[in-house]
Amino acid sequence: MTSANGDYRNKDILLGVMGDPIAHSKSPLMHGAALQALGIPGAYVPLHIAPGQLGEAIRAVRTLGFRGVNVTIPHKVAVMEYLDRLDGSALAVGAVNTVVNDNGVLTGYNTDGIGYVRSLKAEAAPELAGTRILVVGAGGAARGIIAALLLENPSAVVVANRTREKAEQLAAAFEAKGAVSGIGMNEIADRIADVDIVINTTSVGMYPRIDETPVDPGLLREGMTVSDLIYNPLHTRLLTESRQRGCRIHGGLGMFVYQGAYALEYWTGQSAPVDIMRQTIIDALGGSAG
Ligand code: ATR
């Protein structure tokens, strides 16, 4: 059976990403390569949607028979009101990045946090239970990551932010789910001694301001895992300095690849070709693997 309301089985699968701006997005390239590798006919297209058009655009997902869409800045929170159901991942984070259309019923998921954690475990820190984690930054990205990290039972999560109150508020929001505390950036030096994993969720160090680091590299020590959500550049100054100090490093590319992998798996029911997805992005960025 096919219909114009999301049953994609007997026709090309239609997918896309809604954002504003959207021209820079690497998702169409990554998912296009993934569909091709899986032998699934279809397309994943960039959709430039201004904030005032979001409701109409989401209704069009049903009308046009899209199997699903990713949703990116600035729509991740606003999109929630237009969906029929919200998965637990979206409720925990308070934002949606993936919409699945099941015969006209739209469900919102958040694969950013779980994508990040899957990447961290696959590439740097296989066991997170019992670890002490410092999350730098307290914005939307930090929220998604903390929600997913707490599912792994770390012994403590400390959130450090330039604006201390935001770190405290974020910690309080997760109070019931684990040992999360909020501190100011200037308190990192006092708290870093027993930290196992440092995660940068801020934009500090992102292209073009590649000489900046969110944490004083002098505070990092051998044996720590240092992770940076930024993937442009592939290796931020924070990661380069961390590696020089004997830390295990983890870049942000994996988070991007695995948030997309989860979304593709929800849409198609098939395992995502993560290696091909990753290499597609590395080639597009003109960087090197590693
Ligand atoms: P995102 O959704 O990507 O997390 P966001 O919600 O705007 O983006 O959050 C950005 C985070 O990076 C915040 O924690 C912000 O700190 P403040 O809450 O104090 O603004 C942090 N950030 C951005 N630029 C920063 C800088 N130059 N130094 C330190 N922290 C910075």
Side-chain angles (χ1 to χ4, degrees):
M1 279 292 288
T2 60
S3 66
N5 61 4
D7 184 344
Y8 69 93
R9 277 170 292 185
N10 295 322
K11 58 184 180 182
D12 286 8
I13 185 169
L14 295 176
L15 302 166
V17 53
M18 296 183 177
D20 181 19
I22 201 61
H24 67 284
S25 172
K26 298 275 185 281
S27 290
L29 199 65
M30 180 170 78
H31 283 286
L35 290 174
Q36 197 176 6
L38 291 174
I40 298 176
Y44 181 114
V45 293
L47 299 164
H48 185 200
I49 308 295
Q53 302 172 310
L54 183 62
E56 217 176 306
I58 291 295
R59 279 190 292 280
V61 167
R62 294 191 192 88
T63 314
L64 299 174
F66 272 57
R67 171 58 176 159
V69 287
N70 282 129
V71 179
T72 187
I73 293 167
H75 303 312
K76 287 187 183 188
V77 176
V79 73
M80 296 173 81
E81 68 172 287
Y82 302 112
L83 304 177
D84 302 305
R85 295 184 192 151
L86 295 171
D87 178 66
S89 59
L91 291 170
V93 180
V96 162
N97 79 325
T98 301
V99 176
V100 178
N101 178 7
D102 289 305
N103 298 311
V105 178
L106 303 186
T107 305
Y109 296 82
N110 194 308
T111 69
D112 286 329
I114 55 174
Y116 171 78
V117 168
R118 187 162 147 190
S119 151
L120 180 66
K121 290 172 74 173
E123 295 158 20
E127 183 56 70
L128 297 175
T131 57
R132 289 151 301 186
I133 303 175
L134 172 68
V135 175
V136 182
R143 176 178 285 269
I145 279 166
I146 293 167
L149 285 172
L150 290 174
L151 300 174
E152 303 288 328
N153 297 314
S155 64
V157 175
V158 177
V159 187
N161 199 46
R162 177 173 61 181
T163 318
R164 188 183 202 273
E165 297 74 53
K166 268 179 71 181
E168 288 170 351
Q169 282 166 13
L170 192 55
F174 286 107
E175 208 170 35
K177 303 237 168 74
V180 189
S181 55
I183 63 172
M185 286 287 201
N186 52 353
E187 295 166 79
I188 290 179
D190 300 332
R191 298 292 296 274
I192 204 160
D194 62 355
V195 163
D196 304 303
I197 303 173
V198 176
I199 303 170
N200 174 44
T201 73
T202 76
S203 54
V204 180
M206 190 186 290
Y207 181 84
R209 297 169 69 174
I210 58 172
D211 284 336
E212 298 177 4
T213 61
V215 176
D216 174 3
L219 296 172
L220 305 168
R221 36 158 239 288
E222 197 176 339
M224 277 180 171
T225 296
V226 178
S227 171
D228 200 328
L229 264 57
I230 294 169
Y231 65 89
N232 187 11
L234 284 171
H235 287 121
T236 56
R237 180 160 173 213
L238 175 69
L239 294 186
T240 307
E241 300 248 6
S242 299
R243 185 157 53 191
Q244 283 164 7
R245 286 170 172 78
C247 303
R248 182 174 303 161
I249 62 169
H250 173 246
L253 183 59
M255 173 178 181
F256 181 66
V257 171
Y258 281 105
Q259 62 75 30
Y262 272 118
L264 194 72
E265 288 168 4
Y266 295 161
W267 293 322
T268 67
Q270 298 198 35
S271 293
V274 286
D275 291 340
I276 287 168
M277 293 164 78
R278 177 193 309 275
Q279 195 56 47
T280 303
I281 302 299
I282 290 171
D283 292 347
L285 292 173
S288 58

